[in-house]
Amino acid sequence: MDSVAEAMERLRDLATRPAVAELAQLFASAGHELAIVGGTVRDAFLGRALTGDDVDLDFTTDATPEQTEAVLAPLGKTLWDTGRRFGTIGVRLGGYVCEITTYRSDAYDGTSRKPEVQFGDTLEADLTRRDFTVNAMALRVPELKLVDPTGGFDDLLNRRLRTPGAPEISFGDDPLRMLRGARFRAQLGFDLDPTAADAARRMASTLDIVAPERVQQELAKLLLSPEPSAGIRVLVDTGLADQVLPEVPALRLEIDEHARHKDVYEHSLIALDRAIELERSREHAPDLVLRLAVLLHDIGKPATRAIEPGGGVTFHHHDVLGARLATKRMKALRFDKATTEAVADLIRLHLRFFGYAEGAWTDSAVRRYVRDAGDQLERLHILSRADVTTRNKRKADRLAHAYDDLEARIAALAEEEELGRLRPDLDGEQIMSILGLKPGREVGEAYRFLMEARLDSGPLGAEEAERRLRSWWAARN
């Protein structure tokens, strides 16, 4: 963490940049206050970059939205006011996306999913209504005066997430703040203050009044953080996960001396950590689809657990059930269709590799693995590797070598056969021409026959494909 002097120098550099300085002077000339707030001030103390392409800057002011529009009018810039109801006016200045919000003092009424918007009078009061003290610091501009009414700097030093006032009041004002506590644990590595954690346990059920879309956004930010498993633990330990992602705490299956199996909850978090390591080693950006799939890949186990007569434990078809459960949960959280389907497909396929580890596959089986994975193949590679969390080194090495071999075979076949473009040797037009058909069900059946032949035998060539097609058609009729 940077010293106060270093942080102030970084903030001073930001505040004196032409776009920010011009904005500050416009408000000052109009007789209004303006301050930089939120993560920007916090990040200055954490030594994080404050500039870059399309950087978001949050400001707060005593000006109403109408007054803010009047102040910005001389700039001749296009404004956006989609947040007007909440007091926010936006403008792009010099590469910065600036959102300027009137001082606020609003809160939920305990029943509605939308807060009752009320504007406030002072910067200090606005800051004390924010989620955590580390986010409740501001820099007045153009004066360059740091305002920290709730002890945010001390909490930064102690790496602590504390609410500005009583957590019951803060979380009552906006229950989503409880999820933000878990998200900041994952993003910043800070610990949630014990009083805040206790309040979250008591108030977890109030998340019911928060719109699913807002919950989804927080979960996505958490999962894309550097250490999502730490945030998931906060959600589970406080009971928040029971409200928003109950399939995860349900993974904590009772383990007794007669029917031993590994802790599925711990396994899932370890697998998530491993997937992130593989993501980084393969130089991939944080991938929400992959991380959701790894976290949820075993959620079908609780409902499918069966104890064998000899004491063994099985989870038959937990992959299929898990895909259905993940789809249901993600729809409830309003995830988009493409993300939901991709996660479900990965969960459905996550056991496929273990058949390869038990015995070498034919080329046909490898082709089908690639075909079924489709554009999820690289994610499936990472999920399958991350799923191996056994402490038995010999077993772990055997599975790792098996997957190395599978990836090598996929690469070799891909080079020989264009596996990335798996399709029959004849297209629909050619099939209709050869068999004298019109568009319809029979063309689809012929296409599927040729696709199976392609998967079984590799590229056939047009002549051999036509011979097989005619033979199949004659036998079929």
Side-chain angles (χ1 to χ4, degrees):
M1 179 172 159
D2 285 358
S3 68
V4 174
E6 290 172 323
M8 288 302 297
E9 184 59 35
R10 291 160 62 81
L11 287 170
R12 184 177 295 107
D13 176 69
L14 174 65
T16 55
R17 290 176 181 266
V20 180
E22 181 181 13
L23 191 66
Q25 193 55 55
L26 282 172
F27 275 82
S29 297
H32 293 297
E33 299 175 358
L34 188 70
I36 301 172
V37 291
T40 300
V41 181
R42 178 198 68 214
D43 289 348
F45 287 95
L46 295 177
R48 297 184 173 187
L50 304 184
T51 59
D53 294 335
D54 293 331
V55 170
D56 292 343
L57 290 179
D58 291 327
F59 296 84
T60 189
T61 180
D62 62 344
T64 65
E66 293 75 19
Q67 290 171 329
T68 294
E69 288 179 323
V71 170
L72 298 176
L75 294 174
K77 300 286 187 179
T78 300
L79 309 181
W80 60 89
D81 64 353
T82 52
R84 173 186 290 274
R85 180 176 175 275
F86 301 100
T88 301
I89 302 296
V91 64
R92 181 183 293 275
L93 288 175
Y96 299 104
V97 176
C98 303
E99 292 197 336
I100 304 148
T101 303
T102 306
Y103 296 154
R104 294 261 298 275
S105 61
D106 50 77
Y108 281 85
D109 63 9
T111 58
S112 171
R113 284 184 169 179
K114 295 182 179 180
E116 181 182 347
V117 178
Q118 297 177 357
F119 295 142
D121 300 319
T122 67
L123 173 59
E124 288 75 11
D126 178 88
L127 293 174
T128 57
R129 59 161 289 279
R130 293 177 180 266
D131 51 13
F132 295 98
T133 60
V134 296
N135 297 326
M137 297 183 290
L139 182 74
R140 287 188 184 275
V141 289
E143 303 97 307
L144 300 181
K145 178 183 177 182
L146 182 68
V147 182
D148 179 18
T150 64
F153 177 69
D154 288 339
D155 287 332
L156 278 175
L157 286 175
N158 292 301
R159 302 178 65 80
R160 176 176 60 198
L161 293 169
R162 185 174 59 85
T163 56
E168 294 82 3
I169 295 175
S170 180
F171 297 158
D173 286 347
D174 185 353
L176 194 70
R177 291 172 176 173
M178 295 183 286
L179 293 188
R180 287 197 196 118
R183 191 240 295 179
F184 289 133
R185 173 69 182 90
Q187 285 182 332
L188 304 175
F190 290 7
D191 292 323
L192 191 62
D193 183 74
T195 58
D198 289 342
R201 291 186 185 94
R202 295 192 302 273
M203 301 177 68
S205 63
T206 63
L207 279 170
D208 289 345
I209 70 169
V210 180
E213 291 84 355
R214 298 185 72 207
V215 172
Q216 176 232 106
Q217 290 167 4
E218 282 300 322
L219 289 176
K221 290 176 182 178
L222 187 159
L223 284 168
L224 292 172
S225 298
E227 193 182 358
S229 60
I232 296 297
R233 290 185 189 280
V234 172
L235 293 180
V236 172
D237 293 345
T238 57
L240 295 169
D242 291 315
Q243 305 299 315
V244 299
L245 205 60
E247 294 80 7
V248 173
L251 293 172
R252 297 177 296 181
L253 300 178
E254 181 180 349
I255 302 175
D256 60 56
E257 60 183 350
H258 303 295
R260 291 185 176 178
H261 56 81
K262 62 187 175 185
D263 185 325
V264 183
Y265 171 65
E266 288 297 329
H267 159 74
S268 297
L269 294 187
I270 293 170
L272 181 57
D273 290 339
R274 285 178 53 81
I276 292 170
E277 291 173 5
L278 288 165
E279 235 181 28
R280 292 168 181 160
S281 68
R282 296 183 178 215
E283 299 183 345
H284 297 329
D287 185 341
L288 180 61
V289 168
L290 172 66
R291 295 183 183 197
L292 276 166
V294 177
L295 177 64
L296 303 178
H297 76 281
D298 275 345
I299 60 173
K301 280 190 170 181
T304 58
R305 184 174 75 156
I307 300 175
E308 301 285 317
V313 180
T314 61
F315 302 96
H316 293 311
H317 307 302
H318 76 269
D319 47 342
V320 177
L321 178 60
R324 290 206 299 268
L325 292 175
T327 298
K328 182 178 179 180
R329 176 57 50 195
M330 292 180 67
K331 285 183 176 179
L333 290 170
R334 307 292 196 270
F335 278 95
D336 64 271
K337 183 178 179 181
T339 298
T340 300
E341 291 180 350
V343 170
D345 286 344
L346 286 167
I347 295 173
R348 193 177 296 110
L349 292 168
H350 84 271
L351 292 180
R352 188 75 63 87
F353 156 67
F354 292 97
Y356 185 90
E358 293 168 3
W361 284 354
T362 61
D363 285 351
S364 174
V366 175
R367 293 187 193 102
R368 281 178 164 76
Y369 185 82
V370 174
R371 187 270 313 271
D372 292 345
D375 58 6
Q376 304 301 314
L377 182 60
E378 175 63 9
R379 287 168 172 155
L380 185 58
H381 287 334
I382 295 176
L383 170 55
S384 298
R385 288 182 181 275
D387 197 21
V388 179
T389 63
T390 177
R391 295 181 181 178
N392 183 321
K393 188 176 185 305
R394 181 176 297 178
K395 181 179 180 181
D397 288 345
R398 177 176 62 81
L399 291 171
H401 291 321
Y403 211 93
D404 288 342
D405 183 63
L406 175 57
E407 284 203 70
R409 288 185 63 191
I410 289 173
L413 283 173
E415 186 173 347
E416 295 171 7
E417 304 180 8
E418 294 186 280
L419 283 189
R421 298 173 62 248
L422 267 175
R423 61 193 62 185
D425 296 82
L426 302 175
D427 61 24
E429 292 291 336
Q430 291 170 307
I431 290 170
M432 289 188 287
S433 175
I434 291 169
L435 300 182
L437 297 174
K438 293 181 179 180
R441 177 177 54 83
E442 291 175 320
V443 178
E445 292 175 0
Y447 187 91
R448 287 189 289 275
F449 164 76
L450 287 176
M451 186 63 185
E452 288 300 313
R454 168 73 172 82
L455 290 168
D456 285 336
S457 306
L460 301 173
E463 184 176 339
E464 175 61 15
E466 180 176 344
R467 186 192 68 78
R468 294 196 186 191
L469 176 64
R470 291 185 181 280
S471 177
W472 168 81
W473 183 250
R476 180 182 182 279
N477 288 281

